[in-house]
Amino acid sequence: MKLRTFQIMLVFVAVLCAVGIIAGLGGSGDGIDANDFPPAWLKAMGGLAGGPRLATRDLTANGIPWRQPLALTAGMSRKFTVSTADDKVRRGGFVLEGRRPDRLEIRYQPKSVQRLNGEKVKVQSWPNEEKGSPKFVVYDGGGTFWFFNAGPGTIKIRLED
């Protein structure tokens, strides 16, 4: 392939990437919507987007870090405090094992003073309208994760690797 053809192809690919990014952002130029973050197209990119992953040391109960896996028997609940961070957002994903993992309820409550682009962020919960394993956007101010096993049997929960 000639150098000139290669250069034209690179310019074409760059233009397509720019158009894709603008279309993905909605073309509005308003930036990030605090009520829809991360947007579905960004979530689809999985490990490439959304900030660093939440670590076990970021979740504590009475000063004791999260221990993998967390086992909840039927009717049991646990609450974990999420530490603050330098990153604006972190990704928190959980892997569930057990007879009825769909009966697990998870809620992430950001600190009440938490803002994103000047707007107060909302509580996130699972199960929700999205399919798949529990995923959360965890903000720099920290907050609280609450887990409740509403089903039969024991459910084991661990942070995604």
Side-chain angles (χ1 to χ4, degrees), residues 82-149:
V82 182
S83 65
T84 59
D86 294 334
D87 298 296
K88 196 169 196 175
V89 294
R90 292 170 280 177
R91 293 177 292 130
F94 299 96
V95 177
L96 309 177
E97 298 171 5
R99 198 167 89 195
R100 290 289 311 267
D102 60 320
R103 298 289 302 193
L104 179 70
E105 297 174 19
I106 305 173
R107 184 177 309 123
Y108 168 62
Q109 172 73 52
K111 291 201 174 167
S112 60
V113 296
Q114 183 67 53
R115 301 270 190 266
L116 183 64
N117 293 336
E119 303 230 3
K120 185 176 180 181
V121 294
K122 294 182 179 179
V123 172
Q124 300 169 50
S125 61
W126 187 87
N128 53 30
E129 66 280 351
E130 296 178 12
K131 303 260 189 260
S133 61
K135 304 235 185 287
F136 296 85
V137 176
V138 181
Y139 300 96
D140 58 352
T144 305
F145 265 108
W146 176 79
F147 300 86
F148 175 67
N149 182 357

Side-chain angles (χ1 to χ4, degrees), residues 19-88:
V19 168
I21 290 171
I22 291 170
L25 291 174
S28 63
D30 294 338
I32 298 171
D33 179 5
N35 299 321
D36 184 31
F37 184 80
W41 68 270
L42 190 57
K43 286 180 187 174
M45 295 180 75
L48 300 176
R53 290 182 189 248
L54 195 61
T56 55
R57 68 181 175 278
D58 296 331
L59 296 166
T60 59
N62 299 323
I64 300 170
W66 172 289
R67 292 200 178 114
Q68 302 256 39
L70 170 65
L72 292 179
T73 58
M76 185 177 178
S77 68
R78 290 289 304 269
K79 187 165 107 173
F80 288 87
T81 302
V82 182
S83 65
T84 59
D86 294 334
D87 298 296
K88 196 169 196 175

